[in-house]
Amino acid sequence: MYVIIVYDVEENRVSKVCKFLRLYLHWIQNSVFEGNITLSKLEILKNELSTVMDKNEDSVRIYILKDERFVDKEIIGLKKEE
């Protein structure tokens, strides 16, 4: 499956969340990651992510798509992907 993760976390946790997500997905731009991942790895990611973030202050959105082929992407301006 293909996921897009967007997060808004307190400044003191940004680098920790970013570093953690890089283990599973591709950094696209500030606070945005995407990539292919198995369901089991996504469950591990969600469980571990909940220990890194503060659920009372931080927000993470996970968009789950069946396949990257069903995503139309258009980039305007600088492409920040690694």
Side-chain angles (χ1 to χ4, degrees), residues 1-53:
M1 74 178 60
Y2 193 79
V3 298
I4 300 169
I5 296 183
V6 180
Y7 63 91
D8 183 10
V9 299
E10 288 294 319
E11 189 175 340
N12 59 334
R13 286 184 292 280
V14 169
S15 63
K16 193 176 225 184
V17 171
C18 181
K19 189 175 184 178
F20 170 76
L21 288 174
R22 283 177 185 247
L23 298 173
Y24 294 91
L25 300 167
H26 303 287
W27 176 76
I28 301 304
Q29 65 182 77
N30 295 342
S31 303
V32 181
F33 283 79
E34 66 181 47
N36 288 301
I37 191 168
T38 64
L39 181 59
S40 60
K41 283 194 177 182
L42 179 60
E43 290 304 316
I44 292 168
L45 180 152
K46 291 192 294 187
N47 289 333
E48 291 181 16
L49 184 59
S50 66
T51 66
V52 175
M53 62 182 286

Side-chain angles (χ1 to χ4, degrees), residues 53-70:
M53 62 182 286
D54 182 337
K55 291 181 181 179
N56 296 316
E57 296 181 14
D58 302 332
S59 174
V60 176
R61 290 182 181 244
I62 301 173
Y63 299 92
I64 301 171
L65 301 106
K66 300 299 179 198
D67 194 303
E68 185 180 8
R69 293 174 295 170
F70 301 112

